[in-house]
Amino acid sequence: MPARLPPPERPAVKGRRLARAGDWSGYWQLIRSVPLVDAAELAGRIPVHQWRPPAEADLEVLEMLRDIDPRRAARLVERLAQAATVRVPEELTIHNRDYADFAHGRAALLVATRANYRQIARRSC
């Protein structure tokens, strides 16, 4: 049996490790690879008087991320996720073709989750 992979490192933990090592280039790569809320939180910790991204466009993105309030961004992302959530009938099962499908001609993802023992589908386009 193959060995299990370790769980992924949380962005804040990895960021602290990279910052302690002074690896700001790696830290910037981390920022560019995480969701917006995490990126905004991490960007505020870069000591811009010590390190700046090499490209002007990256510096502009860093400045924009530093201007974002991570708590406000998290609330916005949550509202957007709720707006994109579609509740489906309780009889939904993963194998029910009437409810589990992909949008024709568009990229869409249907994820079934369970909450309070009721099945809920979330759609992301």
Side-chain angles (χ1 to χ4, degrees):
M1 175 179 263
R4 294 184 113 182
L5 292 173
E9 199 170 17
R10 290 189 5 242
V13 172
K14 187 171 185 177
R16 280 192 296 274
R17 183 174 52 75
L18 291 167
R20 278 194 301 271
D23 183 1
W24 297 112
S25 181
Y27 194 96
W28 178 240
Q29 285 182 317
L30 172 65
I31 287 173
R32 294 180 359 190
S33 70
V34 298
L36 175 65
V37 174
D38 293 322
E41 190 171 312
L42 291 167
R45 297 184 183 142
I46 288 184
V48 292
H49 60 281
Q50 292 178 353
W51 184 89
R52 290 174 179 253
E56 190 65 33
D58 285 344
L59 178 58
E60 192 174 333
V61 170
L62 175 59
E63 289 170 353
M64 283 189 246
L65 287 170
R66 290 172 64 87
D67 287 341
I68 294 172
D69 174 1
R71 283 182 256 150
R72 185 170 181 233
R75 288 190 303 271
L76 177 61
V77 167
E78 180 61 30
R79 285 193 358 233
L80 291 171
Q82 288 174 358
T85 298
V86 177
R87 293 200 180 272
V88 295
E90 289 183 32
E91 64 269 12
L92 169 74
T93 65
I94 280 297
H95 304 290
N96 187 329
R97 335 186 317 189
D98 294 332
Y99 302 112
D101 202 354
F102 288 91
H104 300 285
R106 290 182 20 194
L109 171 66
L110 176 77
V111 178
T113 61
R114 294 184 65 93
N116 297 327
Y117 300 101
R118 300 175 80 185
Q119 291 184 338
I120 300 169
R122 290 192 177 185
R123 174 181 71 170
S124 173
C125 300

